[in-house]
Amino acid sequence: MKPDFQKAVDALKKDGVVAFPTETVYGLGARLFSPEGIRKIYRVKGRPADNPLIVHISDLRQLELLAEDISEPAKKLIRKFWPGPLTFVFKKTRLVPKTVTAGLETVAIRMPRHPVARKLIEAVGEPIAAPSANRSGRPSGTQFEDVLKELKGRADFLLSGGAAQLGLESTVLDVTRIPFQILRPGSITLEQLRKIFPKVQVHSKVHGKISRKGAAPSPGMKHRHYQPACKVVLVDTVQWKESLARWIKTKQMIGTLSFSRSAAAKSSNLVYAKSFSNENDYARSLYHSFFEAERKCVDVLLIETRPEKGLGLAIMDRLKRAGA
Ligand code: TXA
Ligand code: MG
């Protein structure tokens, strides 16, 4: 076993919190049955106490201990998409601590695909509860340097594992009701799910504007998310050129994230210009670009929008929240 991996295992066993790689984004984990570790996750992140965590498992036997009433259709999706970036919301068993579910009777569970994440769960011998590795409200860490910047000195150990392959958080699917509902779009798309169950829906709050009032089906929906230190402005492809020219005239430090185009305008106050070659690349690099733009002291980050289909639905969900 590599020394760093062993340090991560030791820290978890001692009720600590550890950042670790997954294929979506880095997680900030504690042992599911360590009340102290779970409390520490909320403290380190500054996470609102009403926002529950995702439980990460490495073995289907763990699922049986944690979730009740798993329907045949849900099992079908598990067989198809696990291990991978799909999180299910199930009715919880009594074994799942209420602190992890923020008092809810349901629990979110995911079996990650990343080998390091899986081995970590196996090595500590119990599921790991983990939100994304970032301070609450900030962009998620998808590269180790970003995790370091956000969490160094706050977590007990940060386990490096390179760049996350997918870059956006998992799809959260509520399977406690029929038809199944997507509470958070992610790498597994609506289209992929509908190929198996045509009636899968996207919860209305995913498309709608972000409300801090009223009951949100997924507590995470009502909180601030993914926000870099710069002002975020979403720009339609057809308005891109005109909008960029207008912002450059303001003399503020401008950054751009755009799709399949060269940096365009040259100007001394255009200090960061990133172009994505396709949607996977967009998803994979989005949060890291936020951190890069901050490092370049960008005041205003112009971001080209995408059609809300396929991976574009998840990208736009994050962009709208980043700009909220
Ligand atoms: O890809 C991911 O899902 C990453 C990696 C680390 O696995 N994790 C992640 O965790 O994104 P977090 O805490 O940032 O997001 C968890 C989301 C939140 O929006 C939360 O409200 C929702 O899942 N959630 C958790 N438990 C829930 C439940 N019982 N019912 C509804 N939503 C729930
Ligand atoms: Mg998060």
Side-chain angles (χ1 to χ4, degrees), residues 137-159:
R138 297 272 297 148
S140 305
T142 55
Q143 298 210 5
F144 190 62
E145 57 176 306
D146 303 333
V147 174
L148 261 180
K149 178 178 176 276
E150 292 293 291
L151 296 173
K152 195 173 176 195
R154 302 185 64 87
D156 294 288
F157 191 71
L158 308 175
L159 181 60

Side-chain angles (χ1 to χ4, degrees), residues 47-304:
R47 186 178 179 94
D50 67 350
N51 197 2
L53 311 178
I54 293 179
V55 177
H56 296 71
I57 61 172
S58 59
D59 189 315
L60 284 178
R61 276 171 301 188
Q62 292 166 325
L63 177 64
E64 283 163 34
L65 297 174
L66 305 175
E68 259 170 29
D69 304 340
I70 306 175
S71 64
E72 275 312 314
K75 284 181 187 160
K76 190 167 175 181
L77 294 179
I78 288 172
R79 283 193 293 275
K80 170 104 180 132
F81 293 109
W82 274 7
L86 182 59
T87 297
F88 293 89
V89 172
F90 297 111
K91 190 168 163 221
K92 81 176 201 67
T93 64
R94 283 166 51 195
L95 262 184
V96 182
K98 282 257 174 129
T99 43
V100 170
T101 67
L104 297 177
E105 289 306 324
T106 53
V107 59
I109 303 181
R110 167 165 114 83
M111 186 188 285
R113 188 165 71 205
H114 197 295
V116 174
R118 302 269 295 283
K119 279 192 199 129
L120 199 59
I121 300 164
E122 281 161 23
V124 298
E126 70 185 74
I128 292 179
S132 48
N134 55 278
R135 307 288 306 281
S136 191
R138 297 272 297 148
S140 305
T142 55
Q143 298 210 5
F144 190 62
E145 57 176 306
D146 303 333
V147 174
L148 261 180
K149 178 178 176 276
E150 292 293 291
L151 296 173
K152 195 173 176 195
R154 302 185 64 87
D156 294 288
F157 191 71
L158 308 175
L159 181 60
S160 159
Q165 190 197 355
L166 302 171
L168 289 185
E169 299 84 352
S170 61
T171 304
V172 177
L173 186 70
D174 183 352
V175 294
T176 65
R177 54 180 117 191
I178 305 285
F180 295 164
Q181 285 210 340
I182 293 180
L183 303 182
R184 177 178 71 183
S187 292
I188 302 294
T189 63
L190 174 65
E191 291 82 353
Q192 276 174 293
L193 294 169
R194 280 196 176 155
K195 263 194 194 152
I196 301 169
F197 297 115
K199 291 195 174 141
V200 173
Q201 288 178 353
V202 181
H203 194 277
S204 55
K205 282 258 162 97
V206 170
H207 289 291
K209 76 173 197 289
I210 297 147
S211 157
R212 299 221 166 78
K213 288 185 286 193
S218 181
M221 282 180 172
K222 65 177 193 279
H223 297 294
R224 275 173 181 284
H225 272 308
Y226 322 117
Q227 301 188 341
C230 25
K231 176 183 169 75
V232 167
V233 177
L234 304 187
V235 182
D236 210 279
T237 303
V238 287
Q239 267 135 24
W240 182 262
K241 255 187 155 166
E242 186 198 325
S243 184
L244 179 60
R246 202 156 13 92
W247 278 103
I248 279 180
K249 272 193 206 143
T250 66
K251 297 294 171 204
Q252 298 182 84
M253 294 299 147
I254 307 298
T256 61
L257 304 185
S258 62
F259 201 77
S260 300
R261 67 173 82 231
S262 58
K266 283 242 186 318
S267 171
S268 59
N269 62 328
L270 181 66
V271 291
Y272 179 69
K274 173 107 183 163
S275 173
F276 306 107
S277 48
N278 55 54
E279 239 151 31
N280 288 332
D281 184 28
Y282 206 150
R284 188 183 311 120
S285 315
L286 184 65
Y287 293 139
H288 183 59
S289 329
F290 286 178
F291 286 109
E292 280 184 337
E294 286 183 355
R295 281 194 275 277
K296 299 276 184 189
C297 301
V298 166
D299 298 314
V300 183
L301 186 61
L302 302 187
I303 310 184
E304 186 174 352

Side-chain angles (χ1 to χ4, degrees), residues 307-319:
E308 289 180 76
K309 54 177 201 258
L311 202 47
L313 184 67
I315 292 171
M316 285 308 297
D317 171 72
R318 306 310 189 271
L319 290 182

